[in-house]
């Protein structure tokens, strides 16, 4: 399975009024990780002709993350079918290895020329297997 992993450190800008990472920040990180993974694996030509639209998004929060925590973010594609891709992003505390949150997002593959959904080509599916 092709995955992307990176470590970030929680900053003050990431926190809500309870001094935990804000829910909105997790959504932003999910989107950023998906985009980074896509751009890492694809070519300029692919990016010029295709893009993704988020259709649904589910995050399960397990444990809070606080200021200065180091978080391991890991993303991978769980399943691809037709025009849809189901991407997972997991968040772990680097020190304890405890799962903090897990998201699953349903994405629709779009043709940039027609602005309509496009069946995901086998070559692209194989990039993320």
């Amino acid at each position: 399975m092709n995955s992307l992993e990176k470590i970030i450190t929680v900053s003050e800008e990431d926190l809500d009024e309870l001094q935990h990472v804000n829910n909105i920040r997790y959504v932003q990180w999910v989107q950023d990780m998906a985009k980074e993974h896509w751009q890492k694996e694809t070519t300029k030509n692919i990016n010029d002709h295709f893009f993704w639209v988020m259709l649904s998004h589910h995050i399960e929060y397990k444990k809070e993350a606080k200021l200065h925590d180091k978080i391991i973010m890991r993303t991978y594609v769980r399943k691809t079918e037709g025009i849809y891709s189901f991407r997972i992003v997991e968040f772990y505390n680097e020190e304890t290895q405890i799962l903090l949150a897990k998201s699953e997002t349903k994405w629709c593959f779009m043709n940039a020329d027609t602005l309509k959904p496009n069946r995901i080509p086998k070559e692209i599916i194989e990039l993320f297997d």
Side-chain angles (χ1 to χ4, degrees):
M1 165 182 39
N2 179 335
S3 65
L4 175 69
E5 188 173 294
K6 70 190 243 181
I7 299 173
I8 55 134
T9 302
V10 176
S11 68
E12 287 209 26
E13 295 79 35
D14 300 324
L15 303 178
D16 62 17
E17 62 277 355
L18 298 175
Q19 300 305 301
H20 301 153
V21 171
N22 190 308
N23 298 346
I24 298 301
R25 184 64 76 198
Y26 279 105
V27 174
Q28 184 66 56
W29 288 338
V30 165
Q31 185 169 318
D32 292 347
M33 285 294 286
K35 182 177 181 180
E36 188 173 333
H37 195 203
W38 169 253
Q39 290 178 337
K40 176 181 171 272
E41 299 300 331
T42 58
T43 64
K44 181 183 180 330
N45 185 51
I46 291 172
N47 281 292
D48 287 347
H49 295 286
F50 301 100
F51 64 96
W52 294 94
V53 174
M54 183 185 289
L55 296 180
S56 65
H57 184 70
H58 174 77
I59 298 179
E60 184 175 358
Y61 300 99
K62 302 282 196 176
K63 192 128 176 102
E64 71 276 355
K66 298 179 181 177
L67 185 62
H68 305 301
D69 284 354
K70 291 191 182 308
I71 299 176
I72 300 168
M73 297 189 298
R74 180 178 306 123
T75 188
Y76 55 92
V77 175
R78 180 181 65 79
K79 178 172 79 170
T80 303
E81 56 185 31
I83 61 173
Y84 303 117
S85 179
F86 299 84
R87 177 177 288 278
I88 304 294
V89 181
E90 299 166 333
F91 301 88
Y92 293 89
N93 179 295
E94 183 189 41
E95 183 180 336
T96 64
Q97 298 296 304
I98 291 174
L99 180 65
L100 303 172
K102 182 176 181 177
S103 75
E104 181 166 358
T105 308
K106 181 179 181 181
W107 296 88
C108 182
F109 191 63
M110 301 291 291
N111 184 302
D113 299 321
T114 65
L115 300 180
K116 293 185 177 181
N118 195 108
R119 181 176 266 300
I120 304 167
K122 182 179 177 189
E123 306 80 52
I124 291 177
I125 293 171
E126 289 173 350
L127 291 174
F128 296 93
D129 277 349

